[in-house]
Amino acid sequence: GGGGSGWFNFGVETTPVVLRLHSSRNLGLVAGEAVCGVVSCGLDQSEVARVWDGCPAEFSVGEQTLICIRFSVSLSDGAVAIGRMVGEVILPVEHIVKRCGGSLHHMWVPLYWDGESLLRAAQLNTQLVIEHFDRAVRNAAREPRSPMVCLSLCQGDIRSTELDIRDPALTNPKHSAARFFALAQSHVQHARMLQALYRQSRAEKQQARVDSSGYGPTAFRDALVDSYAGGGIPSHLGQAESPIEGTCARLRHEIEATTQEANSRINQASDSIRTLRERLTERQTEDLRTRQESARARREAAELEAESERLAYEVGSPEDRIDEARRLRNQAEVLGEQKEALLLILDDLYGATGVQGSAATV
């Protein structure tokens, strides 16, 4: 991922940078030899600076500059570059600005040959140089015993950057924040190199013991595993393993811390899964109970509806009851009129027979 522009700010056409050569490895140097780097920019073969251990190079670059450093053996602390060539390094400034935190901090870069061909290819496709640089940085961690150099690159002048290196407490906080991504990249690369070197060293020592003693590889377990299991360096390794005792202790501590953290996270995940399962079971039980209650309510509603229809059939509709009451009232009125007519007839009959008041008593 991108790491920001770091210290670089191309507000002008070029900006000053400082290149440092901290160390070199696997170059087969003999006593009195030193590695010197001749710095040029792009296909222009003209020298702009020289760099060697203890003597940084200061020069100016543009955003599109491809810094080419040709390393050779020097017999006079880099004053003159003589002897055999040991390889080249190409640094794409724009890529370092945008993707590498704006600077390089103690980064190991493998040496390779035929840098001029790569530069010519970059004129057609700059992505080739970027991919080559990224692959070289990764290979440094994967193959730590290949020829390589340790470089730092940042914006500024020798005096200001030297102060940052010697006294970090006086470093501008903004500069420190801008360099953080480069520091993190350097830390990751060195950690991977340590792991790769340890694996190679372990394999070589085991093979050497097998060759010298005739025992199979199972007779000599990994020193790191033995120290982790037994709490110390195995006795059969003797004083030859004492230089890695501190490394083994530190790695053992890191393994224990990582194991504890992993177990803690596993336990947390197990608790979360168990809680979710309990909640799921409760929800399923509640859903089943709700379904049963809903089915019972539907049955009761159907029964009530049937009972209502039966009662309505027996009682009839309100209109029917009103008609029946009206009919009964009409009948009552008719009967009342008939009664009065009968009473009058009786009165007439009683009057004709001479009986008084008999009709009234009827």
Side-chain angles (χ1 to χ4, degrees):
S5 60
W7 283 358
F8 285 87
N9 182 15
F10 288 96
V12 294
E13 184 177 355
T14 60
T15 185
V17 296
V18 176
L19 175 69
R20 283 184 168 83
L21 172 63
H22 300 287
S23 181
S24 60
R25 302 183 60 178
N26 310 317
L27 299 182
L29 301 180
V30 298
E33 289 185 337
V35 176
C36 174
V38 178
V39 182
S40 60
C41 296
L43 284 173
D44 184 7
Q45 302 295 322
S46 60
E47 175 183 335
V48 297
R50 291 193 181 187
V51 61
W52 59 89
D53 189 7
C55 185
E58 182 178 1
F59 52 97
S60 296
V61 297
E63 188 174 7
Q64 302 295 329
T65 300
L66 297 177
I67 303 175
C68 180
I69 313 169
R70 295 174 174 84
F71 291 95
S72 59
V73 173
S74 171
L75 298 179
S76 57
D77 294 333
V80 291
I82 59 176
R84 58 189 174 89
M85 286 283 296
V86 292
E88 298 174 279
V89 168
I90 296 180
L91 306 178
V93 174
E94 183 180 11
H95 181 65
I96 293 173
V97 170
K98 295 181 179 179
R99 298 284 300 278
C100 300
S103 60
L104 299 179
H105 181 78
H106 289 260
M107 291 294 292
W108 287 96
V109 184
L111 297 174
Y112 54 90
W113 298 92
D114 202 14
E116 184 175 352
S117 299
L118 182 61
L119 289 173
R120 294 187 183 278
Q123 290 183 320
L124 301 177
N125 186 3
T126 56
Q127 188 64 27
L128 293 176
V129 178
I130 294 175
E131 294 176 355
H132 187 275
F133 175 78
D134 289 339
R135 185 167 56 253
V137 173
R138 290 194 301 268
N139 289 341
R142 295 174 182 174
E143 302 175 3
R145 295 192 175 179
S146 61
M148 63 182 69
V149 291
C150 183
L151 301 174
S152 290
L153 178 70
C154 62
Q155 183 183 9
D157 53 46
I158 294 177
R159 181 177 180 181
S160 61
T161 56
E162 188 71 22
L163 178 62
D164 291 341
I165 294 175
R166 292 186 177 181
D167 193 353
L170 300 178
T171 303
N172 188 322
K174 293 183 179 180
H175 288 179
S176 298
R179 289 186 303 177
F180 175 77
F181 190 77
L183 292 172
Q185 282 189 323
S186 177
H187 173 75
V188 171
Q189 186 192 54
H190 281 75
R192 291 176 178 174
M193 290 181 67
L194 175 62
Q195 295 173 1
L197 285 170
Y198 173 76
R199 287 193 296 267
Q200 292 182 6
S201 176
R202 180 184 62 182
E204 291 178 359
K205 288 181 179 179
Q206 288 180 345
Q207 185 61 40
R209 293 184 189 120
V210 171
D211 295 340
S212 61
S213 62
Y215 291 100
T218 55
F220 299 95
R221 299 181 59 198
D222 177 17
L224 179 59
V225 176
D226 288 340
S227 63
Y228 177 68
I233 301 298
S235 58
H236 68 271
L237 297 181
Q239 289 298 114
E241 293 295 332
S242 59
I244 67 169
E245 182 176 0
T247 302
C248 291
R250 181 178 59 81
L251 293 175
R252 184 169 60 252
H253 176 73
E254 292 180 359
I255 291 174
E256 292 175 353
T258 304
T259 303
Q260 292 177 357
E261 182 179 0
N263 291 335
S264 176
R265 293 185 179 183
I266 291 173
N267 292 334
Q268 292 177 359
S270 300
D271 294 340
S272 300
I273 293 173
R274 183 167 53 256
T275 302
L276 291 174
R277 286 179 176 174
E278 292 175 354
R279 292 180 179 177
L280 179 61
T281 303
E282 293 176 357
R283 291 294 177 86
Q284 291 176 342
T285 303
E286 183 179 356
D287 181 67
L288 179 61
R289 184 170 60 253
T290 303
R291 290 176 182 271
Q292 293 175 349
E293 293 178 355
S294 177
R296 184 170 61 255
R298 284 195 296 269
R299 289 195 301 271
E300 292 178 354
E303 294 174 356
L304 290 175
E305 185 177 358
E307 180 68 15
S308 175
E309 291 178 354
R310 185 182 63 78
L311 292 175
Y313 178 77
E314 292 178 355
V315 175
S317 64
E319 291 80 2
D320 295 340
R321 289 195 298 272
I322 292 173
D323 292 341
E324 181 68 18
R326 186 182 299 111
R327 185 177 60 78
L328 291 175
R329 282 195 299 269
N330 291 335
Q331 290 180 358
E333 291 177 357
V334 172
L335 291 174
E337 292 176 354
Q338 292 177 354
K339 179 182 177 181
E340 291 178 357
L342 290 174
L343 289 175
L344 291 175
I345 294 171
L346 287 175
D347 286 340
D348 293 339
L349 290 175
Y350 288 139
T353 59
V355 182
Q356 300 293 331
S358 298
T361 60
V362 176

